Amino acid sequence: MLINTPYDLVIKNGRLIDDTIVDITINQGKIVAIAPSLSHSAKQQLDLRGRHYVTAGWIDAHTHCFAHSPIYHDDPDLIGAQLGVTTVVDAGSTGAIDIDQFYALSQQAITHVYAFLNISKIGLIRQNELSDMQNIDPLLCQTAIAKYPHFIIGLKVRLSRSVVGDNDIQPLLKAKEIQKNTGLPIMVHIGNNPPDLDDIADLLRDGDIITHCFNGKPNKILDMSGNVRRSIENAIKRGVIMDIGHGGESFSFTVAERAKSLAVYPNTISSDIYSKNRLQGPVYSLAQVMTKFLCLDYSLKRIIDSVTQNPAHILRLPNKGQLQVGYDADLTIFDLKQEKITLSDAEGNTRQSSQQFMPLASIIVGQLVITSEGYQHDFSHQ
Ligand SMILES: [Zn+2]
């Protein structure tokens, strides 16, 4: 007699962002079925009663979660699973010296962790990690990348005056050399100049990433007359990626609004979260950064794509970012809570939103993690 083994988890009556209602069956860490009214039996069942949204697991493409960085540190699960984020990408907290320790720590988290390797071997132990060119050791970088091919997914170069000192564009030229030998995308941080944004943008190619793309500092994407710089227009045409990287200092509502009026959109919405801006703002969570794009009147689909399929594609994360049979069972369950909230950008300017993203649970490789908000609503027992 054939014994009908139950599946690991069935999510009943989940609302997709196009408002269709589906059941999702999960087994051995994979999505095995998605359809209305499945009759699968499972060891664990979660009924969303058509009320709560379910999407592919959110991916935060710019975070800081190396516990031992003295300046930007956090815990992957506090910025990840606990906030409805199933994958976090650390943007250069560690260089080649600390990458072993970071890798070991990251494997203890429930949340998936990937890393951009800081081309400065010292990583973020201080603010000016690229002020001494001796800190860039291409061979050491390449050795680290070869050792962790499934963990290191790109190179990080922070290009602002406080980081590079007198070295201007030189660190990016070095990064380009390392890129030639590894093929990895480069994520550049932009802020105060020098180096000038035009010089930075001209060096970037298809797949490279500009983070802090809506910052309000001298290296913003807009020129003096409020138009998008020619260098940025050309970079976007070449396939250079625009990433939000909100952070404590790098998101301006004014820039974001002007960009939208010119039909310039980010490819990825990310937080640049770490303990300080998580606890004290203005970041708080990826969800709250996403809510700012509701204020900007972005469509729900555009916002969700920017934290799911877009980062999965850009960061080359196979089997992630889509709710499809055969994909990893990484999912985010959330509400769009109808409640007024005042939101602050990184320059102290505020906007009001009448609704907000409220993550209730993360499912990571089929494992359910209820967020504190999910518990408050007794979401697990509905
Ligand atoms: Zn950062």
Side-chain angles (χ1 to χ4, degrees), residues 62-64 72 91 124 156 158 189 212 272:
H62 183 159
T63 71
H64 293 279
Y72 302 126
L124 295 183
K156 180 76 186 288
R158 298 203 309 147
H189 142 131
H212 309 317
D272 192 12

Side-chain angles (χ1 to χ4, degrees), residues 150-359:
H150 302 296
F151 178 59
I152 298 174
I153 57 168
L155 303 165
K156 180 76 186 288
V157 191
R158 298 203 309 147
L159 291 172
S160 50
R161 190 176 52 210
S162 55
V163 178
V164 301
D166 298 328
N167 290 324
D168 199 67
I169 204 76
Q170 295 304 317
L172 182 54
L173 297 175
K174 278 278 179 199
K176 282 277 150 190
E177 273 177 39
I178 301 167
Q179 181 177 54
K180 257 188 214 150
N181 294 322
T182 61
L184 292 179
I186 294 172
M187 177 188 271
V188 297
H189 142 131
I190 58 170
N192 290 310
N193 54 343
D196 188 79
L197 178 55
D198 294 335
D199 296 335
I200 296 169
D202 286 347
L203 284 167
L204 301 179
R205 69 169 205 200
D206 178 23
D208 288 338
I209 299 160
I210 292 177
T211 191
H212 309 317
C213 67
F214 288 171
N215 81 79
K217 297 177 187 177
N219 270 345
K220 58 175 168 292
I221 61 169
L222 305 174
D223 63 20
M224 300 286 269
S225 51
N227 292 313
V228 173
R229 292 179 189 229
R230 184 67 55 82
S231 64
I232 292 295
E233 261 181 21
N234 289 336
I236 291 171
K237 275 186 206 146
R238 289 199 304 277
V240 172
I241 303 301
M242 297 288 133
D243 174 58
I244 289 299
H246 186 300
E249 296 181 6
S250 303
F251 179 78
S252 155
F253 275 126
T254 315
V255 173
E257 284 158 357
R258 177 66 184 158
K260 181 165 185 276
S261 75
L262 298 169
V264 172
Y265 297 98
N267 303 90
T268 51
I269 294 176
S270 67
S271 65
D272 192 12
I273 197 168
Y274 66 99
S275 57
K276 183 170 171 228
N277 69 31
R278 169 170 60 82
L279 296 168
Q280 298 171 21
V283 174
Y284 298 109
S285 64
L286 179 63
Q288 184 152 145
V289 175
M290 291 160 66
T291 298
K292 291 175 187 178
F293 289 84
L294 289 174
C295 273
L296 290 158
D297 212 20
Y298 277 44
S299 71
L300 184 55
K301 178 169 170 22
R302 184 182 286 279
I303 296 170
I304 294 298
D305 284 353
S306 304
V307 297
T308 54
Q309 63 180 39
N310 294 1
H313 175 71
I314 289 158
L315 304 171
R316 307 175 193 167
L317 306 177
N319 301 316
K320 298 203 185 300
Q322 296 194 42
L323 269 190
Q324 277 195 39
V325 171
Y327 274 63
D328 292 347
D330 294 344
L331 297 89
T332 298
I333 295 167
F334 65 96
D335 279 345
L336 267 181
K337 191 172 172 184
Q338 303 302 310
E339 185 179 282
K340 262 210 180 112
I341 179 173
T342 300
L343 300 154
S344 182
D345 68 7
E347 307 194 318
N349 298 312
T350 58
R351 300 287 185 275
Q352 294 247 326
S353 177
S354 55
Q355 52 182 353
Q356 50 185 300
F357 286 97
M358 191 58 69

Side-chain angles (χ1 to χ4, degrees), residues 13 21 64 239:
N13 303 308
I21 308 294
H64 293 279

